């Protein structure tokens, strides 16, 4: 068995896991090589399958991109709170630091998509979908905690979190990120007292 055969057998998905394995591979390719290199062949190579399988599952590159984005959001958005819907401000952003450590490809893929949309305006709808997913989840958490869910307030808070995530992803300083998120929770608690 050649080294290439070993590599394929090591990463080839098991029966019934093909679509998920392809989505994970698409996210890794987008994160590591950029969206311009996200092709059926590159995803198939990363997943250890024939490129026809990628076409079979997704039909178009845009459908693959959209499904990969949804997959990465499904992985990352739940980290907004360790106790979703509880209104517990201490739980808000509690999973962010761990998420960056455990899902770096998902986050890098999302940032690659955001940056690529500057060059390719047709991707803007995906970016809007990305930000909406995070901001809608954050708005629900803030509202459950008795805070305003005014869109501009939510946007401000998410922009702070997004910047911290980006910095941790690139600089890798989880202690600093955790401390900053703690201060953000304190500010939200103070904002809640002002609204009462």
């Amino acid at each position: 068995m050649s080294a290439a055969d070993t590599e394929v057998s090591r990463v080839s998905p098991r029966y019934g896991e093909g679509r998920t394995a392809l989505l994970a591979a698409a996210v890794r390719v987008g994160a590591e090589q950029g969206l311009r290199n996200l092709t059926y062949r590159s995803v198939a190579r990363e997943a250890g399958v024939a490129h026809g399988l990628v076409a079979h599952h997704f039909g178009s590159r845009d459908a693959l991109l959209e499904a990969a984005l949804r997959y990465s959001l499904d992985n990352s958005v739940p980290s907004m709170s360790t106790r979703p819907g509880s209104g517990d401000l201490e739980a808000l952003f509690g999973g962010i630091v761990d998420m960056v450590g455990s899902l770096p490809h998902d986050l890098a893929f999302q940032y690659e998509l955001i940056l690529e949309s500057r060059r390719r305006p047709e991707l803007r709808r995906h970016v809007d979908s990305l930000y909406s997913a995070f901001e809608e989840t954050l708005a629900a958490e803030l509202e459950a905690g008795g805070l305003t869910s005014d869109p501009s307030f939510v946007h401000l808070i998410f922009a702070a979190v997004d910047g911290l995530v980006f910095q941790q992803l690139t600089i890798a300083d989880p202690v600093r990120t955790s401390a900053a998120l703690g201060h953000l929770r304190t500010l939200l608690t103070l904002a809640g007292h002002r609204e009462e």
Side-chain angles (χ1 to χ4, degrees):
M1 185 180 278
S2 72
D5 293 333
T6 302
E7 181 65 20
V8 168
S9 65
R10 184 179 66 79
V11 297
S12 292
R14 292 184 300 218
Y15 182 77
E17 297 175 348
R19 189 171 197 280
T20 301
L22 292 174
L23 291 172
V27 165
R28 284 191 306 274
V29 168
E32 294 173 0
Q33 301 173 31
L35 292 185
R36 292 176 183 220
N37 293 310
L38 183 66
T39 64
Y40 288 164
R41 287 190 190 282
S42 64
V43 171
R45 187 173 32 256
E46 180 69 24
V49 299
H51 77 275
L53 189 60
V54 183
H56 169 75
H57 277 283
F58 301 103
S60 72
R61 186 175 179 271
D62 196 51
L64 171 63
L65 179 63
E66 194 162 334
L69 175 60
R70 176 57 39 209
Y71 172 83
S72 76
L73 290 173
D74 287 347
N75 288 337
S76 56
V77 169
S79 297
M80 194 65 68
S81 175
T82 55
R83 295 185 57 220
S86 69
D88 181 358
L89 290 181
E90 286 302 312
L92 191 59
F93 316 130
I96 297 289
V97 171
D98 290 339
M99 174 197 57
V100 178
S102 64
L103 299 173
H105 289 109
D106 292 80
L107 299 168
F109 173 80
Q110 292 168 17
Y111 288 122
E112 286 288 337
L113 176 63
I114 292 165
L115 292 171
E116 186 66 21
S117 75
R118 293 202 65 223
R119 294 178 287 274
R120 296 178 45 208
E122 69 273 14
L123 296 176
R124 175 65 191 268
R125 68 184 178 89
H126 297 301
V127 174
D128 291 340
S129 169
L130 185 155
Y131 282 130
S132 291
F134 280 107
E135 289 188 1
E136 288 169 11
T137 300
L138 178 57
E141 293 300 326
L142 293 174
E143 196 168 345
L147 293 166
T148 181
S149 59
D150 174 82
S152 59
F153 182 73
V154 172
H155 179 68
L156 172 67
I157 301 306
F158 179 70
V161 173
D162 193 32
L164 292 169
V165 166
F166 184 77
Q167 287 183 15
Q168 185 183 334
L169 186 65
T170 56
I171 299 169
D173 190 348
V175 173
R176 188 174 182 195
T177 302
S178 185
L181 289 169
H183 288 300
L184 185 56
R185 278 192 294 275
T186 299
L187 292 173
L188 288 173
T189 300
L190 293 171
H193 292 309
R194 286 189 73 187
E195 289 180 8
E196 291 174 353

